[in-house]
Amino acid sequence: MTSIEGDAPDVRPEPLHPGPDVNVGPLERGLSVTVGAALLALALSRRRGRGSLALGLLGGYLAWRGATGHCPLYDALDTGSAEDEEDERLDAGGHYDVSVEATATIGRTPEEVYAFVRRMENAPRFLAFVESVEPLDGTRALWRARFPGGGRFTWESEVLEDRPGELLVWRSQPGSAVHQACAVRLRPAPGGGTEVRLDVEFEPPATPLARVVSCLFSDSDRYVVEEDLQRLRQLLESGEIIPLRGLAAGSPDTDAGP
């Protein structure tokens, strides 16, 4: 209850020079400080030459980046390695900047498409790089994947949204080495069959900077998700996959019974 004659509200002025937003995670901040300090020490030991000046500037920047937790490049590209405090959930239609999507019409009913996708062990048959999925219970599953270059990783996922014949959303558990989130949205197509929209977020272990560089020089993320959906369509309509250029090596069998 507010008193009419109460004291004036406690208004605290905002700082005149607020610090930069933190968009660098703790591990990367520590690494930046360590590398920055090492480069500064190396530059001071040389003292002369353009090379020592460049090392000093780079070391100073990295040390500042680690101390403040702010990266101007991440800021400009709207990314970062700092984890959000809230446990956000992926919603079909609302995506992170790194998400990609594709849409196709599949000649099966929404119920048939949903039944196939809901069996998580079917995921390696159409999702690139996924080797196996082991269901743990009704909502959780253990994933194993092999990435280009030979790296193998495992992570645990959880189903977040489950509406039979309409929507299925799952995501890797917070803190997993791999960030993976998928949303499969289904609706009857006007001419028959099912309109399927596949939304995918897939980030192998790497710093955001490495992912940014990859995105700048490659459009493979977009390419892969379209092929994922194409494989799903072929499996459900014909029971076999016509080899595609981006198909992961060692794909499982092609028997597509939902």
Side-chain angles (χ1 to χ4, degrees):
M1 182 174 181
T2 304
S3 171
I4 297 177
E5 299 179 355
D7 296 335
D10 182 14
V11 179
R12 299 183 180 180
E14 296 184 357
L16 294 178
H17 302 285
D21 294 333
V22 174
N23 57 8
V24 181
L27 181 60
E28 195 173 345
R29 290 180 67 175
L31 183 61
S32 293
V33 170
T34 302
V35 175
L39 290 177
L40 282 172
L42 182 60
L44 291 173
S45 67
R46 292 185 176 182
R47 295 186 179 180
R48 296 179 181 178
R50 295 180 180 180
S52 60
L53 177 60
L55 286 176
L57 291 175
L58 178 59
Y61 166 73
L62 288 175
W64 171 85
R65 182 179 183 271
T68 63
H70 179 74
C71 176
L73 179 60
Y74 286 173
D75 198 19
L77 296 171
D78 194 22
T79 185
S81 57
E83 296 183 358
D84 293 333
E85 294 182 358
E86 297 182 358
D87 182 14
E88 297 180 353
R89 288 174 176 261
L90 174 69
D91 179 31
H95 322 295
Y96 298 107
D97 291 340
V98 296
S99 65
V100 288
E101 63 183 57
T103 304
T105 298
I106 296 178
R108 291 289 191 100
T109 67
E111 290 73 21
E112 289 174 318
V113 178
Y114 168 83
F116 181 84
V117 175
R118 185 61 181 85
R119 293 176 58 189
M120 290 296 176
E121 57 267 38
N122 285 331
R125 300 162 71 179
F126 64 93
L127 291 180
F129 310 125
V130 177
E131 289 189 325
S132 67
V133 180
E134 177 186 347
L136 301 177
D137 55 32
T139 60
R140 296 181 304 117
L142 182 65
W143 295 65
R144 295 180 177 87
R146 178 178 58 193
F147 300 109
R152 278 186 168 85
F153 295 90
T154 63
W155 68 93
E156 188 176 308
S157 71
E158 178 187 10
V159 173
L160 303 179
E161 301 286 342
D162 190 355
R163 300 204 296 268
E166 296 181 9
L167 176 68
L168 180 65
V169 180
W170 69 90
R171 189 200 60 188
S172 56
Q173 296 282 20
S176 299
V178 174
H179 171 74
Q180 182 232 28
C182 295
V184 182
R185 195 175 204 177
L186 312 171
R187 66 178 181 181
T194 302
E195 183 179 294
V196 181
R197 192 178 88 185
L198 178 62
D199 299 281
V200 178
E201 293 177 10
F202 198 70
E203 298 180 17
T207 65
L209 180 58
R211 292 193 293 267
V212 166
V213 172
S214 176
C215 290
L216 288 176
F217 292 97
S218 173
D219 60 351
S220 60
D221 287 340
R222 179 71 181 176
Y223 179 78
V224 167
V225 73
E226 291 177 340
E227 289 192 350
D228 287 344
L229 192 54
Q230 179 70 4
R231 283 190 289 269
L232 178 62
R233 184 185 68 79
Q234 292 177 349
L235 281 168
L236 287 169
E237 289 185 351
S238 65
E240 62 181 0
I241 295 178
I242 299 174
L244 296 172
R245 194 155 43 92
L247 189 61
S251 295
D253 61 81
T254 57
D255 179 13

